Amino acid sequence: MKSFYLETFGCQMNVVDSEQITALLQEIGYQPIDAPDLADLVLLNTCSVRDKAERKVYGHLGRFKPIKDKRPQLIIGVGGCVAQQEGQRMLDAVSYLDLVFGTHNIHRLPEMVQQVEQTRQRASETDFLDRETRLNLFPERSASESATRFVTIMQGCDNFCSYCIVPHVRGREISRLSAEILNEIEALVAAGVKEVTLLGQNVNSYGCKNDGELSFPQLLAAVDAIPGLERLRFATSHPKDITAELIDCFGRLESLCPQVHLPVQSGSDRILALMNRGYDAADYLDKVRRLKAVCPQIRLTTDIIVGFPGETEEDFQATLDLVAQVRYADAFTFLYSPRVETAAASMPDNASARQKQQRFDRLLTLQQRISGEIWQEDAGKILPVLVEGASKQGEGQLFGRSVWNRIVNFSGPPELIGQVVPVAINKVLRNSHLGEYQNNC
Ligand code: 5AD
Ligand code: SF4
């Protein structure tokens, strides 16, 4: 039996792609293993959204060179966003690399691997595919043991935010047919899945480029109506595409969790315009106010970029003000990093690395205080928790999530896995809660 070792970087889209890679490789007789030094095939599924992604991938590949030196028949491949961006350049730069496959070429992996096995010829495929071909290539995913699943509803992005590599490496936006999505979710629920997260780069523009297709709020309502589905979430949404109809969903769809990730990126109108975000701070705050009005228990999370080219102290102060006003439950904060091919990469930038780091630290301090206050509100409450599995905390410990997607660790019997159970929250830690199962509720 042949084996493969797969490492996945980046967002949930890559995690789902890696599931598809795993299924495709199993079809040609490869089994997953955790040890690269024992594998016949080593693959990296890469991310290029931030940091020095390309350099990191090259660094990572270096770890496999000694293994290949010892076992020249080992096949090494790179997929995902860095592979899409670099293509043939990666093969030219790394003599021991065999395969490069882009974000639209995952379905070609089995043939590419077999070709390398048979001919030892290196291969690179990074062409973007047309819409029709891609529509047919959304992976069919089988049921799993888990109580929660991600379901891809769209891929790609047409927004071209000026800092972002995604439209360049994932291609144009395409929505999967709603009938297929609903069939998949019905099958998952029949197999025991209790929670589904609808996934895409910009889920709330779902369907709007397909004639006669459901809108995103209509899709949410159709998923909510599937009997047996207890929890529904989605990620990621763009603030400019949050419609009144979508806001209403939070007041009327029973399974829709009171939680939304709404990346704001900056609180400064000037920077938001330079970022090409399509909204200003007032628009954003208005949508937040309306979300909180229809669903008072809603908790928001966000992404913020600090140190975008040209950001002044005043711009940064506007971000702090917005964060204080919205009171996010959590914020993912990033130092701006220029990405090739993006518009922002050539914008003038005056702030020093030290200034940017100081701003980043100030934002973090503010956000940690707010997050602490919000999560502390759960202390002493009994919350419904969907139990996902055994916790790493130790023997007899389980973990699950609250409706706000917060991890809750508690002790209880394994039969609870896959059920929504009441848990009293005893202790609020920085990233999770500790609780006690209430078996008399
Ligand atoms: N620099 C820093 N952060 C970035 N992000 C995307 N591109 C960049 C970049 N060039 C962040 C945004 C986005 C999240 C997924 O990553 O905040 O919402
Ligand atoms: Fe990138 Fe903007 Fe598209 Fe999000 S909406 S993936 S930030 S271009």
Side-chain angles (χ1 to χ4, degrees):
M1 178 68 75
K2 290 174 289 187
S3 61
F4 71 97
Y5 170 81
L6 170 62
E7 241 178 277
T8 307
F9 301 84
C11 69
Q12 203 56 48
M13 297 299 261
N14 268 12
V15 174
V16 171
D17 285 349
S18 282
E19 277 181 30
Q20 192 194 358
I21 290 172
T22 300
L24 288 169
L25 290 175
Q26 283 173 327
E27 278 171 24
I28 56 163
Y30 279 84
Q31 288 312 312
I33 55 166
D34 290 336
D37 36 349
L38 299 177
D40 300 292
L41 168 65
V42 165
L43 292 178
L44 298 183
N45 189 7
T46 60
C47 167
S48 58
V49 167
R50 291 179 300 271
D51 305 324
K52 299 167 183 70
E54 307 83 35
R55 229 184 300 158
K56 279 190 187 163
V57 171
Y58 285 113
H60 244 78
L61 278 171
R63 288 188 304 150
F64 306 122
K65 183 168 188 302
I67 310 177
K68 179 112 177 176
D69 286 342
K70 265 193 245 147
R71 282 193 295 119
Q73 73 280 16
L74 169 68
I75 300 174
I76 302 181
V78 178
C81 298
V82 176
Q84 182 63 48
Q85 195 181 306
E86 297 286 289
Q88 178 68 34
R89 274 199 300 273
M90 295 200 88
L91 287 184
D92 298 340
V94 184
S95 60
Y96 50 91
L97 183 62
D98 300 289
L99 278 176
V100 176
F101 57 102
T103 55
H104 287 192
N105 312 90
I106 292 172
H107 63 292
R108 292 275 306 135
L109 191 57
E111 268 181 65
M112 291 175 80
V113 169
Q114 284 169 330
Q115 185 194 320
V116 178
E117 278 173 349
Q118 286 155 16
T119 66
R120 304 312 300 184
Q121 298 276 338
R122 309 162 84 205
S124 163
E125 289 193 22
T126 53
D127 288 344
F128 278 156
L129 303 178
D130 63 38
R131 213 187 110 75
E132 290 314 309
T133 317
R134 285 176 73 204
L135 259 182
N136 289 323
L137 287 173
F138 274 101
E140 284 276 318
R141 295 166 70 227
S142 56
S144 74
E145 301 286 283
S146 99
T148 62
R149 275 298 279 263
F150 286 86
V151 172
T152 306
I153 63 164
M154 52 90 65
Q155 288 178 347
C157 182
D158 293 348
N159 286 321
F160 288 92
C161 300
S162 63
Y163 51 82
C164 186
I165 192 82
V166 167
H168 305 271
V169 291
R170 289 263 167 191
R172 295 291 61 74
E173 187 178 307
I174 175 176
S175 291
R176 198 176 164 198
L177 301 179
S178 56
E180 268 179 32
I181 297 170
L182 293 169
N183 280 343
E184 178 175 329
I185 299 176
E186 275 165 15
L188 291 173
V189 172
V193 167
K194 299 278 168 38
E195 174 184 307
V196 158
T197 303
L198 305 182
L199 196 65
Q201 248 87 37
N202 181 15
V203 286
N204 43 10
S205 70
Y206 171 82
C208 60
K209 284 159 191 153
N210 299 13
D211 285 345
E213 186 49 282
L214 300 182
S215 67
F216 184 58
Q218 286 168 336
L219 179 69
L220 283 179
V223 176
D224 176 69
I226 295 174
L229 180 73
E230 302 210 18
R231 290 182 176 182
L232 174 58
R233 308 182 195 272
F234 56 84
T236 290
S237 25
H238 194 304
K240 79 173 163 52
D241 297 320
I242 296 268
T243 57
E245 211 187 341
L246 179 56
I247 292 173
D248 278 352
C249 289
F250 283 94
R252 68 185 182 90
L253 302 184
E254 220 166 287
S255 65
L256 188 60
C257 291
Q259 164 254 322
V260 62
H261 184 63
L262 202 55
V264 69
Q265 313 297 0
S266 170
S268 153
D269 291 348
R270 202 178 66 81
I271 296 294
L272 287 169
L274 287 173
M275 287 177 163
N276 191 29
R277 289 292 286 173
Y279 55 86
D280 61 20
D283 295 334
Y284 184 93
L285 288 168
D286 180 53
K287 288 180 178 174
V288 168
R289 187 185 50 71
R290 284 154 56 205
L291 281 164
K292 288 183 175 176
V294 295
C295 180
Q297 73 276 32
I298 203 163
R299 289 187 185 169
L300 287 109
T301 54
T302 200
D303 292 341
I304 298 172
I305 298 177
V306 175
F308 185 83
E311 182 190 75
T312 62
E313 175 58 27
E314 197 186 346
D315 294 316
F316 177 66
Q317 192 57 51
T319 299
L320 292 180
D321 292 346
L322 182 137
V323 165
Q325 221 174 316
V326 175
R327 290 182 61 76
Y328 295 105
D330 277 311
F332 301 92
T333 51
F334 308 106
L335 273 173
Y336 169 73
S337 97
R339 308 281 80 201
V340 286
E341 292 182 63
T342 61
S346 51
M347 290 181 187
D349 191 4
N350 303 321
S352 67
R354 195 159 154 265
Q355 269 171 326
K356 292 183 181 192
Q357 187 61 48
Q358 282 173 348
R359 286 178 193 161
F360 185 88
D361 295 343
R362 283 159 65 198
L363 176 60
L364 202 65
T365 306
L366 170 66
Q367 183 53 45
Q368 281 178 347
R369 177 173 64 70
I370 297 169
S371 291
E373 288 165 6
I374 290 181
W375 294 116
Q376 198 58 43
E377 288 170 18
D378 292 346
K381 292 199 178 131
I382 296 176
L383 299 181
V385 169
L386 173 55
V387 188
E388 291 185 27
S391 150
K392 291 186 209 110
Q393 308 288 318
E395 188 86 347
Q397 292 286 309
L398 301 174
F399 83 99
R401 282 170 204 267
S402 70
V403 286
W404 297 296
N405 222 356
R406 179 80 161 178
I407 296 268
V408 181
N409 289 296
F410 62 101
S411 59
E415 300 82 77
L416 300 185
I417 294 172
Q419 294 184 44
V420 177
V421 301
V423 177
I425 306 302
N426 297 334
K427 198 157 186 199
V428 173
L429 306 175
R430 180 166 281 188
N431 295 313
S432 61
H433 288 344
L434 291 183
E436 197 174 317
Y437 169 49
Q438 305 293 291
N439 59 359
N440 49 357
C441 281

